[in-house]
Amino acid sequence: MSATVMDETQFRVGVDSLLKNLLDDKRKNLSNKDVGLLLERLSVFVLGGGKRLRSAFCYWGWQGAGGSGSAEGVIRAAASLELLHAFALLQDDIIDHSATRRGLPAMHRQLAELHQSSHWHGPAADFGIGGAMMLSNLCLVWSSMLLHEASEDAQQIGTLKALHQGTVADATYGEVLELILQSERRYDKCHCMEVVRYKAGRYMFMPALLMGAVLANARPEVFSCYQDFGIAIGDGYQLRDDLLGAFGNPSLTGKPNTDDFREGKPTVLIAEALQRFDGGTLKRAYELYGNPHISPREISELRDLLRTSGAVAAIERLIRECAATGATALTRANLATNAKEEMTSLAQRALQRSC
């Protein structure tokens, strides 16, 4: 039986419909309306934004490996990935003290505002953080649950769950390493790239592609192809994200473009810049970067330093190298032509985006 071909819009509708039904059911089955109020906010967060690139890579990974029959299992796997990402974003915003996400207040900020406007007892910020953490945990649980329902084949389920667990572990390793480097102010390129690999290369698209391959019973060479392709595009995605975090338009990205500066994030961008500075310029960069009270004028000064150092151009070169590595990886397996074209297009969108 040939694969069920959908376009990306149809597949996204299927994923969003499944997520909506799941979240509605969880909320309706609650006896406590107060908890349901928080789940309503979670539903808005999950359904109201996001590029759904993981979903698309999962689907075309399945198609490329010769997936056949109904796409229902792939839709469940893709929805699982979206909930897994929601779990990561909710926690990431807490760690980074982010004010906004997807053009709205970050979840911990929303819940703090709810606490404050309701005149509840205790610190509103603590309620916001605690509530967002618990909602993120629910996303992780439901993500695992959906994946368990993606196939009737026990071996496939075991492989999918192993991928899921490995993805959570890799993202956690990356987050911990980032916290350590940020605390030590250790901005060497090697360690900053290691954060990129854990938090993006092995997290962003590789698991989605491999899950699609699992559900298609793909050949070994397809798994190898997808792993290298997914890592390369995931690395490049994070490098682009670092540029947007420093120079992006918040009205397009939905998040601030000063957080990395204030937090002192160990990005490859800052690592590239610092290795080019010496003397007074290096000292000035360390004075500015990671200063929680940095002024708008000083942010402009730091942006100028990043540009004139050649660091921005260097990151653009690295992104092009990631694109080339990914393109080469796609030639190593006999993939369906239309799927290969779609994955190439998705990679371009991921690496050249402005939001």
Side-chain angles (χ1 to χ4, degrees):
M1 185 176 182
S2 62
T4 303
V5 179
M6 298 178 174
D7 62 28
E8 188 178 331
T9 300
Q10 291 172 316
F11 188 74
R12 176 166 182 159
V13 168
V15 172
D16 284 350
S17 177
L18 177 59
L19 288 170
K20 183 180 186 304
N21 290 337
L22 170 70
L23 293 165
D24 284 349
D25 286 345
K26 295 301 180 184
R27 190 171 66 254
K28 289 174 183 176
N29 289 331
L30 284 171
S31 59
N32 189 295
K33 293 183 179 180
D34 291 332
V35 178
L37 183 62
L38 268 63
L39 291 191
E40 286 181 11
R41 291 172 181 260
L42 179 62
S43 294
V44 171
F45 175 75
V46 172
L47 299 172
K51 304 172 188 66
R52 298 293 189 260
L53 285 173
R54 292 161 195 77
S55 297
F57 274 114
C58 185
Y59 177 70
W60 288 112
W62 177 69
Q63 288 277 11
S68 62
S70 170
E72 181 180 350
V74 193
I75 289 174
R76 288 190 173 275
S80 169
L81 287 163
E82 297 300 340
L83 284 173
L84 177 61
H85 191 49
F87 151 79
L89 291 181
L90 291 172
Q91 295 203 1
D92 203 48
D93 285 346
I94 293 170
I95 293 170
D96 294 345
H97 308 101
S98 297
T100 60
R101 171 70 67 174
R102 295 174 176 172
L104 295 172
M107 184 60 68
H108 63 285
R109 293 289 189 98
Q110 288 188 38
L111 299 186
E113 290 170 6
L114 172 65
H115 181 286
Q116 196 166 31
S117 64
S118 301
H119 306 290
W120 290 341
H121 176 71
D126 289 353
F127 176 85
I129 291 171
M133 285 290 294
M134 294 305 100
L135 291 179
S136 78
N137 288 344
L138 285 175
C139 288
L140 183 60
V141 170
W142 294 336
S143 171
S144 180
M145 180 195 73
L146 279 178
L147 205 58
H148 191 76
E149 299 170 350
S151 174
E152 295 180 355
D153 185 301
Q155 186 172 353
Q156 283 187 345
I157 291 297
T159 305
L160 290 172
K161 291 182 77 172
L163 279 169
H164 186 272
Q165 291 162 2
T167 302
V168 175
D170 283 338
T172 304
Y173 293 151
E175 196 71 64
V176 171
L177 178 58
E178 184 176 65
L179 285 169
I180 292 171
L181 296 179
Q182 184 175 323
S183 299
E184 295 179 343
R185 306 197 79 192
R186 181 150 46 110
Y187 301 127
D188 62 283
K189 184 178 176 180
C190 178
H191 286 96
C192 291
M193 273 303 304
E194 194 175 1
V195 171
V196 168
R197 179 57 51 86
Y198 275 125
K199 288 190 65 177
R202 299 188 61 82
Y203 165 77
M204 294 298 298
F205 308 126
M206 185 192 78
L209 290 159
L210 294 181
M211 285 182 185
V214 169
L215 291 168
N217 292 310
R219 303 177 305 278
E221 63 268 25
V222 174
F223 283 94
S224 175
C225 158
Y226 283 175
Q227 177 169 305
D228 291 347
F229 172 69
I231 286 176
I233 303 307
D235 284 353
Y237 184 97
Q238 183 58 52
L239 293 171
R240 175 63 63 196
D241 209 53
D242 291 346
L243 289 177
L244 292 174
F247 301 100
N249 184 341
S251 66
L252 296 177
T253 64
K255 55 187 179 181
N257 61 5
T258 58
D259 281 0
D260 287 358
F261 293 156
R262 298 182 193 282
E263 296 287 330
K265 286 293 178 183
T267 66
V268 180
L269 174 62
I270 192 64
E272 284 281 1
L274 291 176
Q275 71 181 11
R276 289 166 164 77
F277 296 150
D278 56 21
T281 305
L282 181 62
K283 180 182 178 183
R284 181 58 176 161
Y286 269 104
E287 288 173 352
L288 296 173
Y289 198 71
N291 175 8
H293 307 296
I294 188 171
S295 69
R297 181 188 59 78
E298 289 171 329
I299 287 172
S300 295
E301 179 185 352
L302 185 53
R303 285 183 177 137
D304 287 341
L305 288 175
L306 292 174
R307 290 190 187 95
T308 57
S309 70
V312 174
I315 297 301
E316 291 287 3
R317 285 194 298 271
L318 286 175
I319 292 171
R320 290 195 293 272
E321 289 172 10
C322 288
T325 299
T328 299
L330 280 184
T331 67
R332 298 209 314 264
N334 185 23
L335 304 175
T337 301
N338 66 322
K340 186 184 294 187
E341 291 172 352
E342 291 291 343
M343 284 187 275
T344 300
S345 176
L346 285 170
Q348 291 173 345
R349 281 170 51 193
L351 301 187
Q352 299 303 322
R353 70 194 195 283
S354 58
C355 61

